[in-house]
Amino acid sequence: MKTATSNYLIGSALLLMLAGSALAAEVPFNQARFEQARAASQPVVVYFHADWCPTCRVQQPIVARLAAEPQFKPVTIFEADYDTETALEKTLKVTQQSTFVVFRQGHEVTRSTGQTAEPAIRDTLLKAL
């Protein structure tokens, strides 16, 4: 009985690890990690959102759903709080919440503000690849 339980737990842990590695990284904004990812020419998206923003509330589940797709595995999606990341907003010249700033090979390639349609958000994120 112990062996069956141990095998089940090990198998479950392995499955969770594999599932997690198939997801894009959706992480809170961190300046050092952002700079490292850009310097390494990794695909990066900075998503400026605010909890009080109705557009952001529509975008959030779409972003989570897209981040879970295997094609977005290499993309790091940094979630930047619009109300607290004011220095970053100035640096990137972001003037509104619900904005995606997309970087490929260390350089900004596009940005989008206020999109709530999944195909439009997908197209924006794809530009990081």
Side-chain angles (χ1 to χ4, degrees):
M1 187 72 161
K2 274 187 173 180
T3 303
T5 302
S6 294
N7 287 342
Y8 173 77
L9 291 175
I10 291 169
S12 296
L14 182 59
L15 184 60
L16 285 173
M17 285 178 9
L18 290 174
S21 69
L23 303 178
E26 193 176 357
V27 297
F29 181 78
N30 174 287
Q31 187 69 40
R33 289 184 65 195
F34 172 66
E35 289 172 8
Q36 289 171 345
R38 282 186 58 199
S41 296
Q42 296 172 351
V44 171
V45 175
V46 180
Y47 168 44
F48 288 89
H49 73 94
D51 293 337
W52 49 264
C53 168
T55 302
C56 300
R57 283 190 224 126
V58 173
Q59 290 174 330
Q60 190 60 48
I62 296 169
V63 172
R65 209 170 27 254
L66 292 173
E69 292 183 4
Q71 71 184 13
F72 292 112
K73 179 182 177 186
V75 180
T76 300
I77 302 171
F78 287 103
E79 293 185 1
D81 187 314
Y82 185 78
D83 295 324
T84 60
E85 293 295 343
T86 55
L88 180 63
E89 290 163 21
K90 287 177 185 171
T91 300
L92 297 180
K93 298 180 173 104
V94 170
T95 59
Q96 289 182 278
Q97 70 282 357
S98 74
T99 297
F100 298 92
V101 183
V102 181
F103 296 86
R104 183 176 56 226
Q105 297 181 353
H107 303 286
E108 181 180 337
V109 292
T110 195
R111 62 178 56 206
S112 172
T113 299
Q115 289 291 340
T116 57
E118 186 167 331
I121 294 172
R122 176 187 303 277
D123 288 344
T124 299
L125 299 182
L126 280 171
K127 290 182 173 69
L129 298 173

